[in-house]
Amino acid sequence: MTCKPLRHTAGWTVLVLAVIGLTAAVFAAWPNRWVNNTSAPNTEQNNADVALSEVLGGEIYSLWTEFTPAGLGNSQIGFGQSFDGGLTWTPTVLTPPSGFTDEWNPSLASLPLAAGPNGGYLMAATAYQAGGQWIGPSAIHMNISPGGGAGFPAPVLIGASTPGVNWFDYPAVEVDDWMTNPPPALGTGHIAWVEYIDGTGGDADGNGHPMDDPGDNYQIWYIYTHTVPGTPPTYPAFSTPLPIWGGAVSPNQVAAHRPDMATMTVGNPVVPPGGMYITWTDGPNLYVDATPGPGGGFGLLGGGGPVIIPIAGGPPVVNPGINIAPTAAVAIDNGFGPCPGMVYVVWADYSSGTDYDIWFMSSPDGMMGNWNPPVRVNTDPMGNGLDQWAPQISVDPNTGDIYVEYYSRRSDLSNTNIETWVAVSADCGNTWIEGV
Protein backbone atom coordinates (compact mmCIF):
# COMPACT_ATOMS: atom_id res chain seq x y z
CA MET A 1 0.00 0.00 0.00
CA THR A 2 1.15 3.54 -0.63
CA CYS A 3 2.64 5.24 2.41
CA LYS A 4 1.65 8.89 2.36
CA PRO A 5 4.06 11.11 4.26
CA LEU A 6 3.61 14.47 5.88
CA ARG A 7 3.29 17.47 3.59
CA HIS A 8 3.91 21.07 4.64
CA THR A 9 4.91 24.46 3.33
CA ALA A 10 8.04 25.06 5.38
CA GLY A 11 11.19 24.40 3.35
CA TRP A 12 12.79 21.47 5.11
CA THR A 13 15.13 18.78 3.88
CA VAL A 14 13.25 15.68 2.82
CA LEU A 15 13.56 12.80 5.24
CA VAL A 16 11.60 9.55 5.36
CA LEU A 17 10.61 8.27 8.78
CA ALA A 18 10.18 4.51 8.89
CA VAL A 19 8.42 2.92 11.82
CA ILE A 20 9.09 -0.79 12.27
CA GLY A 21 7.17 -3.13 14.53
CA LEU A 22 4.69 -0.43 15.47
CA THR A 23 1.73 -1.64 17.50
CA ALA A 24 -0.77 0.04 19.75
CA ALA A 25 1.58 -0.60 22.67
CA VAL A 26 5.14 -0.39 21.32
CA PHE A 27 6.87 2.26 19.18
CA ALA A 28 10.14 1.11 17.60
CA ALA A 29 11.66 4.01 15.68
CA TRP A 30 14.02 3.44 12.77
CA PRO A 31 16.66 6.15 12.25
CA ASN A 32 15.82 8.76 9.63
CA ARG A 33 17.44 8.26 6.24
CA TRP A 34 18.64 11.14 4.08
CA VAL A 35 16.86 10.83 0.76
CA ASN A 36 18.04 13.96 -1.10
CA ASN A 37 21.69 13.47 -0.20
CA THR A 38 23.00 15.18 -3.36
CA SER A 39 21.07 18.44 -2.92
CA ALA A 40 23.23 21.57 -2.88
CA PRO A 41 23.84 23.21 0.51
CA ASN A 42 21.40 25.95 1.52
CA THR A 43 18.72 24.76 -0.87
CA GLU A 44 15.24 23.72 0.20
CA GLN A 45 13.09 20.66 -0.35
CA ASN A 46 9.46 20.12 0.64
CA ASN A 47 6.12 18.51 -0.15
CA ALA A 48 7.44 14.95 -0.37
CA ASP A 49 5.57 11.76 -1.19
CA VAL A 50 6.77 8.15 -1.00
CA ALA A 51 5.48 4.80 -2.29
CA LEU A 52 6.50 1.20 -1.62
CA SER A 53 6.54 -1.19 -4.59
CA GLU A 54 3.61 -3.59 -4.74
CA VAL A 55 5.78 -6.19 -6.49
CA LEU A 56 9.51 -5.77 -5.84
CA GLY A 57 10.54 -6.30 -2.24
CA GLY A 58 12.51 -3.41 -0.78
CA GLU A 59 11.91 -0.99 -3.68
CA ILE A 60 10.73 2.48 -2.63
CA TYR A 61 10.30 5.58 -4.79
CA SER A 62 10.08 9.12 -3.43
CA LEU A 63 9.26 12.49 -5.01
CA TRP A 64 9.60 16.00 -3.62
CA THR A 65 9.91 19.64 -4.64
CA GLU A 66 13.55 20.64 -5.09
CA PHE A 67 14.10 24.42 -4.88
CA THR A 68 17.24 26.03 -6.34
CA PRO A 69 18.27 28.48 -5.03
CA ALA A 70 16.83 28.44 -1.53
CA GLY A 71 13.43 29.98 -1.05
CA LEU A 72 10.69 30.18 -3.63
CA GLY A 73 13.12 30.06 -6.55
CA ASN A 74 13.23 27.71 -9.48
CA SER A 75 11.85 24.26 -8.70
CA GLN A 76 12.04 20.77 -10.09
CA ILE A 77 10.76 17.41 -8.92
CA GLY A 78 13.37 15.55 -6.90
CA PHE A 79 13.25 11.80 -7.46
CA GLY A 80 14.77 9.25 -5.10
CA GLN A 81 15.05 5.47 -5.44
CA SER A 82 15.82 2.88 -2.79
CA PHE A 83 16.18 -0.85 -3.39
CA ASP A 84 16.93 -1.93 0.19
CA GLY A 85 13.82 -0.85 2.04
CA GLY A 86 14.92 2.75 2.49
CA LEU A 87 18.39 2.17 3.95
CA THR A 88 20.15 3.89 1.03
CA TRP A 89 18.90 6.26 -1.64
CA THR A 90 19.93 7.43 -5.11
CA PRO A 91 18.45 10.85 -5.87
CA THR A 92 18.13 12.81 -9.11
CA VAL A 93 15.75 15.39 -10.57
CA LEU A 94 13.08 15.05 -13.26
CA THR A 95 13.02 17.19 -16.39
CA PRO A 96 9.97 19.50 -16.41
CA PRO A 97 7.31 18.82 -19.06
CA SER A 98 7.75 20.31 -22.53
CA GLY A 99 6.71 23.96 -22.58
CA PHE A 100 7.40 24.52 -18.88
CA THR A 101 10.54 25.34 -16.93
CA ASP A 102 9.52 24.34 -13.42
CA GLU A 103 7.30 21.91 -11.51
CA TRP A 104 6.42 21.22 -7.90
CA ASN A 105 3.98 19.60 -5.43
CA PRO A 106 4.21 15.97 -6.62
CA SER A 107 1.99 13.12 -5.49
CA LEU A 108 2.88 9.45 -5.90
CA ALA A 109 1.21 6.03 -5.58
CA SER A 110 2.31 2.49 -6.39
CA LEU A 111 0.62 0.27 -9.00
CA PRO A 112 -0.41 -3.38 -8.58
CA LEU A 113 1.12 -6.33 -10.42
CA ALA A 114 -1.78 -6.28 -12.90
CA ALA A 115 -0.43 -2.97 -14.27
CA GLY A 116 2.95 -4.44 -15.28
CA PRO A 117 5.61 -7.03 -14.38
CA ASN A 118 7.17 -4.67 -11.83
CA GLY A 119 3.96 -2.95 -10.78
CA GLY A 120 5.19 0.60 -11.21
CA TYR A 121 4.22 4.04 -9.94
CA LEU A 122 1.72 6.74 -10.94
CA MET A 123 2.58 10.36 -10.19
CA ALA A 124 1.04 13.78 -10.74
CA ALA A 125 2.55 17.24 -10.32
CA THR A 126 2.10 20.91 -11.21
CA ALA A 127 4.20 22.47 -14.01
CA TYR A 128 4.66 26.21 -14.46
CA GLN A 129 6.98 28.87 -15.90
CA ALA A 130 9.97 30.19 -13.96
CA GLY A 131 9.09 33.33 -12.04
CA GLY A 132 5.43 32.86 -12.82
CA GLN A 133 4.12 31.24 -9.65
CA TRP A 134 0.41 32.09 -9.40
CA ILE A 135 0.45 34.54 -12.33
CA GLY A 136 1.78 32.54 -15.29
CA PRO A 137 0.47 29.35 -16.92
CA SER A 138 0.22 26.21 -14.79
CA ALA A 139 -0.69 22.65 -15.71
CA ILE A 140 -1.48 19.37 -13.98
CA HIS A 141 0.22 16.37 -15.55
CA MET A 142 0.55 12.65 -14.75
CA ASN A 143 3.27 10.14 -15.45
CA ILE A 144 3.90 6.41 -15.00
CA SER A 145 7.16 4.67 -14.19
CA PRO A 146 7.24 0.91 -14.83
CA GLY A 147 9.30 0.50 -11.66
CA GLY A 148 12.27 -1.81 -11.33
CA GLY A 149 14.61 1.16 -11.19
CA ALA A 150 13.17 2.88 -14.25
CA GLY A 151 12.43 6.59 -14.17
CA PHE A 152 9.47 8.57 -15.44
CA PRO A 153 9.17 9.21 -19.22
CA ALA A 154 7.38 12.15 -20.87
CA PRO A 155 4.29 13.15 -18.86
CA VAL A 156 0.67 13.38 -19.96
CA LEU A 157 -1.02 16.77 -19.69
CA ILE A 158 -4.32 16.68 -17.81
CA GLY A 159 -5.32 20.35 -17.76
CA ALA A 160 -3.84 23.84 -18.07
CA SER A 161 -4.81 27.17 -16.53
CA THR A 162 -5.33 30.60 -18.11
CA PRO A 163 -2.69 33.09 -16.88
CA GLY A 164 -4.14 35.84 -14.73
CA VAL A 165 -7.48 34.04 -14.44
CA ASN A 166 -6.82 30.79 -12.58
CA TRP A 167 -4.09 28.50 -11.31
CA PHE A 168 -4.00 24.68 -11.02
CA ASP A 169 -2.08 23.08 -8.15
CA TYR A 170 -1.80 20.50 -5.35
CA PRO A 171 -2.64 17.30 -7.25
CA ALA A 172 -3.34 14.16 -5.23
CA VAL A 173 -2.98 10.60 -6.52
CA GLU A 174 -4.66 7.44 -5.21
CA VAL A 175 -4.42 4.03 -6.91
CA ASP A 176 -6.86 1.16 -6.36
CA ASP A 177 -4.35 -1.58 -5.59
CA TRP A 178 -6.74 -3.94 -3.82
CA MET A 179 -6.26 -7.27 -5.61
CA THR A 180 -9.74 -8.45 -4.60
CA ASN A 181 -11.37 -5.57 -6.51
CA PRO A 182 -12.37 -6.73 -9.98
CA PRO A 183 -11.66 -4.80 -13.19
CA PRO A 184 -12.09 -2.01 -14.00
CA ALA A 185 -11.55 -0.88 -10.38
CA LEU A 186 -8.20 -2.65 -9.86
CA GLY A 187 -5.40 -0.40 -11.01
CA THR A 188 -7.54 2.69 -11.40
CA GLY A 189 -5.57 5.86 -10.83
CA HIS A 190 -7.64 8.60 -9.18
CA ILE A 191 -6.25 12.15 -9.50
CA ALA A 192 -7.74 15.27 -7.91
CA TRP A 193 -6.41 18.81 -7.84
CA VAL A 194 -7.34 22.39 -6.95
CA GLU A 195 -8.18 25.25 -9.29
CA TYR A 196 -7.71 28.71 -7.75
CA ILE A 197 -9.75 31.48 -9.37
CA ASP A 198 -9.04 35.21 -9.18
CA GLY A 199 -12.40 36.69 -8.22
CA THR A 200 -11.05 40.07 -7.13
CA GLY A 201 -9.02 41.08 -10.17
CA GLY A 202 -5.61 41.26 -8.53
CA ASP A 203 -3.53 40.78 -5.40
CA ALA A 204 -5.64 42.62 -2.84
CA ASP A 205 -3.40 41.87 0.15
CA GLY A 206 -0.12 42.40 -1.69
CA ASN A 207 1.46 39.07 -0.71
CA GLY A 208 2.30 38.08 -4.29
CA HIS A 209 -0.55 35.58 -4.66
CA PRO A 210 -3.50 37.05 -6.59
CA MET A 211 -5.81 34.12 -5.86
CA ASP A 212 -5.72 33.78 -2.08
CA ASP A 213 -7.63 36.93 -1.13
CA PRO A 214 -11.12 37.22 0.36
CA GLY A 215 -13.42 37.10 -2.66
CA ASP A 216 -11.26 34.62 -4.60
CA ASN A 217 -12.50 31.08 -5.17
CA TYR A 218 -11.40 27.46 -5.49
CA GLN A 219 -12.69 24.38 -7.33
CA ILE A 220 -11.81 20.70 -6.72
CA TRP A 221 -11.37 18.71 -9.97
CA TYR A 222 -11.11 14.96 -10.54
CA ILE A 223 -10.15 12.50 -13.29
CA TYR A 224 -9.37 8.80 -13.40
CA THR A 225 -7.28 6.59 -15.66
CA HIS A 226 -7.01 2.79 -15.89
CA THR A 227 -3.47 1.49 -15.58
CA VAL A 228 -4.56 -2.10 -16.26
CA PRO A 229 -5.39 -2.56 -19.97
CA GLY A 230 -8.86 -3.67 -20.95
CA THR A 231 -11.25 -0.85 -20.09
CA PRO A 232 -11.09 2.69 -21.45
CA PRO A 233 -9.88 5.22 -20.60
CA THR A 234 -6.56 3.38 -20.30
CA TYR A 235 -3.41 5.37 -19.56
CA PRO A 236 -2.32 7.67 -21.21
CA ALA A 237 -6.02 8.40 -21.82
CA PHE A 238 -8.11 9.71 -18.93
CA SER A 239 -11.70 10.61 -18.13
CA THR A 240 -13.25 14.01 -18.74
CA PRO A 241 -12.28 16.30 -15.83
CA LEU A 242 -15.16 16.45 -13.35
CA PRO A 243 -15.72 19.42 -11.01
CA ILE A 244 -16.57 18.06 -7.55
CA TRP A 245 -17.09 21.16 -5.44
CA GLY A 246 -15.94 24.74 -5.00
CA GLY A 247 -16.41 27.88 -2.97
CA ALA A 248 -14.60 30.75 -1.30
CA VAL A 249 -10.84 30.34 -1.03
CA SER A 250 -9.23 30.08 2.41
CA PRO A 251 -7.35 33.42 2.56
CA ASN A 252 -3.57 32.96 2.67
CA GLN A 253 -4.03 29.22 3.22
CA VAL A 254 -4.26 27.81 -0.31
CA ALA A 255 -2.84 24.45 0.77
CA ALA A 256 -5.95 23.92 2.91
CA HIS A 257 -7.80 22.88 -0.23
CA ARG A 258 -5.37 20.07 -1.07
CA PRO A 259 -7.52 16.92 -1.53
CA ASP A 260 -6.82 13.45 -0.17
CA MET A 261 -8.42 10.17 -1.29
CA ALA A 262 -8.87 6.55 -0.18
CA THR A 263 -10.19 3.56 -2.16
CA MET A 264 -12.62 0.92 -0.89
CA THR A 265 -12.36 -2.87 -1.05
CA VAL A 266 -14.59 -4.37 1.68
CA GLY A 267 -17.54 -2.09 0.96
CA ASN A 268 -20.06 -0.51 3.32
CA PRO A 269 -23.78 0.33 3.02
CA VAL A 270 -23.04 3.32 0.75
CA VAL A 271 -19.75 2.78 -1.10
CA PRO A 272 -19.07 -0.60 -2.76
CA PRO A 273 -15.68 -2.20 -3.48
CA GLY A 274 -13.88 -0.06 -6.03
CA GLY A 275 -15.45 3.13 -4.70
CA MET A 276 -13.49 6.09 -3.38
CA TYR A 277 -13.74 8.74 -0.66
CA ILE A 278 -12.23 12.22 -1.00
CA THR A 279 -11.72 14.98 1.57
CA TRP A 280 -10.41 18.55 1.73
CA THR A 281 -11.00 21.73 3.73
CA ASP A 282 -11.59 25.42 3.05
CA GLY A 283 -10.42 26.66 6.45
CA PRO A 284 -13.66 26.76 8.46
CA ASN A 285 -15.11 23.53 7.03
CA LEU A 286 -14.06 19.97 6.25
CA TYR A 287 -15.63 18.28 3.21
CA VAL A 288 -16.11 14.56 2.52
CA ASP A 289 -17.54 13.10 -0.69
CA ALA A 290 -17.56 9.69 -2.37
CA THR A 291 -17.99 7.93 -5.69
CA PRO A 292 -19.15 4.31 -6.21
CA GLY A 293 -16.31 3.80 -8.67
CA PRO A 294 -14.72 5.09 -11.87
CA GLY A 295 -17.31 7.04 -13.83
CA GLY A 296 -19.89 6.81 -11.07
CA GLY A 297 -20.02 10.48 -10.11
CA PHE A 298 -19.98 12.00 -6.63
CA GLY A 299 -22.62 13.19 -4.15
CA LEU A 300 -23.35 9.77 -2.60
CA LEU A 301 -23.37 10.97 1.00
CA GLY A 302 -26.58 12.99 1.07
CA GLY A 303 -27.66 16.47 0.10
CA GLY A 304 -26.46 16.27 -3.49
CA GLY A 305 -22.91 17.31 -2.60
CA PRO A 306 -20.19 16.65 -0.04
CA VAL A 307 -20.79 16.30 3.68
CA ILE A 308 -19.71 19.56 5.31
CA ILE A 309 -18.28 19.39 8.83
CA PRO A 310 -17.49 22.68 10.62
CA ILE A 311 -13.93 22.95 11.97
CA ALA A 312 -11.99 25.75 13.66
CA GLY A 313 -9.74 27.71 11.33
CA GLY A 314 -6.58 29.27 12.64
CA PRO A 315 -3.91 31.77 11.69
CA PRO A 316 -2.21 31.06 8.35
CA VAL A 317 1.28 31.77 9.72
CA VAL A 318 2.64 30.64 13.08
CA ASN A 319 5.99 31.19 14.80
CA PRO A 320 8.64 31.30 13.34
CA GLY A 321 6.97 32.01 9.99
CA ILE A 322 5.58 28.57 9.10
CA ASN A 323 2.58 28.66 6.80
CA ILE A 324 0.05 26.23 8.28
CA ALA A 325 -3.16 25.23 6.54
CA PRO A 326 -5.83 23.06 8.19
CA THR A 327 -5.36 20.16 5.77
CA ALA A 328 -7.35 16.92 6.03
CA ALA A 329 -6.71 13.27 5.18
CA VAL A 330 -8.96 10.21 4.78
CA ALA A 331 -8.57 6.45 5.19
CA ILE A 332 -10.79 3.35 5.18
CA ASP A 333 -10.63 0.18 7.28
CA ASN A 334 -10.31 -2.23 4.37
CA GLY A 335 -9.22 -5.32 6.24
CA PHE A 336 -9.84 -7.66 9.12
CA GLY A 337 -9.99 -5.08 11.89
CA PRO A 338 -12.87 -4.45 14.27
CA CYS A 339 -14.51 -1.84 12.05
CA PRO A 340 -14.41 -2.99 8.39
CA GLY A 341 -15.74 -0.42 5.94
CA MET A 342 -15.43 2.46 8.41
CA VAL A 343 -14.35 5.83 7.05
CA TYR A 344 -11.83 7.90 9.00
CA VAL A 345 -10.80 11.55 8.57
CA VAL A 346 -8.16 13.60 10.38
CA TRP A 347 -7.43 17.30 10.24
CA ALA A 348 -5.67 20.13 12.08
CA ASP A 349 -7.68 22.97 13.57
CA TYR A 350 -7.49 25.79 16.09
CA SER A 351 -10.35 24.86 18.41
CA SER A 352 -8.20 25.46 21.48
CA GLY A 353 -7.92 29.12 20.50
CA THR A 354 -4.16 29.11 21.09
CA ASP A 355 -2.61 26.37 18.93
CA TYR A 356 -3.33 23.78 16.26
CA ASP A 357 -4.32 20.24 17.29
CA ILE A 358 -5.04 17.01 15.40
CA TRP A 359 -8.63 15.80 15.38
CA PHE A 360 -10.24 12.55 14.20
CA MET A 361 -13.76 11.52 13.19
CA SER A 362 -15.22 8.21 12.03
CA SER A 363 -18.33 7.06 10.23
CA PRO A 364 -19.68 3.64 9.17
CA ASP A 365 -20.48 5.05 5.72
CA GLY A 366 -19.68 8.79 5.59
CA MET A 367 -23.30 9.81 5.25
CA MET A 368 -24.47 13.22 6.40
CA GLY A 369 -25.44 13.05 10.08
CA ASN A 370 -23.77 9.68 10.53
CA TRP A 371 -20.40 10.79 11.93
CA ASN A 372 -19.21 10.05 15.45
CA PRO A 373 -18.12 12.99 17.65
CA PRO A 374 -14.59 14.34 17.09
CA VAL A 375 -11.73 12.85 19.11
CA ARG A 376 -8.51 14.75 19.80
CA VAL A 377 -5.51 12.66 18.66
CA ASN A 378 -2.56 14.44 20.28
CA THR A 379 -2.63 14.00 24.04
CA ASP A 380 -0.55 16.93 25.26
CA PRO A 381 -2.51 19.47 27.37
CA MET A 382 -5.06 21.29 25.25
CA GLY A 383 -4.48 25.01 24.90
CA ASN A 384 -0.80 24.83 25.86
CA GLY A 385 0.18 27.01 22.88
CA LEU A 386 2.21 24.24 21.16
CA ASP A 387 1.17 23.32 17.61
CA GLN A 388 0.38 20.02 15.89
CA TRP A 389 -0.45 20.00 12.18
CA ALA A 390 -0.16 18.30 8.73
CA PRO A 391 -1.78 14.94 9.63
CA GLN A 392 -1.74 11.87 7.41
CA ILE A 393 -3.62 8.64 8.15
CA SER A 394 -3.37 4.96 7.25
CA VAL A 395 -4.97 1.72 8.43
CA ASP A 396 -3.28 -1.67 8.87
CA PRO A 397 -5.44 -4.02 6.75
CA ASN A 398 -4.53 -7.01 8.94
CA THR A 399 -5.36 -5.55 12.36
CA GLY A 400 -7.43 -2.43 11.70
CA ASP A 401 -4.96 -0.36 13.76
CA ILE A 402 -5.09 3.30 12.71
CA TYR A 403 -1.90 5.33 12.35
CA VAL A 404 -1.82 9.12 12.23
CA GLU A 405 1.43 10.95 11.49
CA TYR A 406 1.81 14.67 12.12
CA TYR A 407 4.22 17.43 13.07
CA SER A 408 4.40 18.41 16.75
CA ARG A 409 6.21 21.13 18.70
CA ARG A 410 5.23 19.96 22.18
CA SER A 411 8.84 19.14 23.12
CA ASP A 412 9.90 22.78 22.78
CA LEU A 413 8.19 25.29 25.06
CA SER A 414 9.22 28.08 22.66
CA ASN A 415 6.96 26.36 20.07
CA THR A 416 9.77 26.39 17.49
CA ASN A 417 11.50 23.02 17.11
CA ILE A 418 9.47 20.42 15.23
CA GLU A 419 9.29 16.61 15.54
CA THR A 420 7.38 13.93 13.64
CA TRP A 421 4.97 12.07 15.89
CA VAL A 422 2.83 8.99 15.30
CA ALA A 423 -0.40 8.16 17.12
CA VAL A 424 -1.95 4.69 17.06
CA SER A 425 -5.50 3.55 17.83
CA ALA A 426 -6.49 -0.10 18.17
CA ASP A 427 -10.16 0.60 18.86
CA CYS A 428 -11.42 2.36 15.72
CA GLY A 429 -10.18 5.76 16.82
CA ASN A 430 -11.80 5.99 20.24
CA THR A 431 -8.49 6.18 22.12
CA TRP A 432 -4.94 7.02 21.02
CA ILE A 433 -1.37 6.25 22.10
CA GLU A 434 1.45 8.49 20.85
CA GLY A 435 5.16 8.13 20.20
CA VAL A 436 7.89 10.19 18.64
Side-chain angles (χ1 to χ4, degrees), residues 85-303:
L87 290 173
T88 60
W89 289 85
T90 302
T92 185
V93 293
L94 301 180
T95 300
S98 178
F100 297 92
T101 59
D102 293 59
E103 59 182 334
W104 62 7
N105 295 337
S107 185
L108 180 70
S110 54
L111 300 175
L113 175 61
N118 295 325
Y121 304 86
L122 174 65
M123 68 160 284
T126 302
Y128 63 97
Q129 295 284 32
Q133 294 100 339
W134 316 121
I135 57 175
S138 63
I140 303 296
H141 61 276
M142 62 179 174
N143 206 331
I144 282 183
S145 167
F152 292 87
V156 176
L157 179 69
I158 295 174
S161 68
T162 301
V165 175
N166 58 358
W167 176 271
F168 292 163
D169 213 339
Y170 293 116
V173 172
E174 178 74 11
V175 171
D176 189 330
D177 56 0
W178 297 102
M179 300 302 293
T180 56
N181 282 351
L186 178 63
T188 298
H190 303 274
I191 299 177
W193 68 95
V194 188
E195 175 191 14
Y196 300 96
I197 305 164
D198 186 3
T200 57
D203 183 12
D205 61 8
N207 70 346
H209 194 326
M211 299 171 199
D212 70 345
D213 307 312
D216 293 336
N217 299 288
Y218 79 94
Q219 174 72 60
I220 304 294
W221 290 87
Y222 163 82
I223 63 105
Y224 65 89
T225 183
H226 296 301
T227 66
V228 177
T231 304
T234 302
Y235 184 90
F238 54 89
S239 64
T240 300
L242 174 68
I244 298 179
W245 192 260
V249 77
S250 180
N252 300 309
Q253 291 180 316
V254 293
H257 308 295
R258 181 201 300 271
D260 190 56
M261 296 173 286
T263 53
M264 173 69 77
T265 187
V266 296
N268 62 32
V270 175
V271 175
M276 188 268 289
Y277 285 86
I278 183 170
T279 188
W280 69 93
T281 80
D282 64 3
N285 297 291
L286 181 147
Y287 297 80
V288 184
D289 209 339
T291 175
F298 287 82
L300 287 185
L301 305 181

Side-chain angles (χ1 to χ4, degrees), residues 392-408:
Q392 290 293 324
I393 183 171
S394 60
V395 180
D396 186 326
N398 296 313
T399 65
D401 288 351
I402 309 168
Y403 303 93
V404 177
E405 303 168 281
Y406 49 91
Y407 291 129
S408 176

Side-chain angles (χ1 to χ4, degrees), residues 62-84:
S62 180
L63 299 175
W64 62 90
T65 303
E66 179 86 24
F67 285 107
T68 55
L72 193 63
N74 296 336
S75 66
Q76 292 179 298
I77 300 300
F79 170 36
Q81 296 173 303
S82 176
F83 305 102
D84 54 14

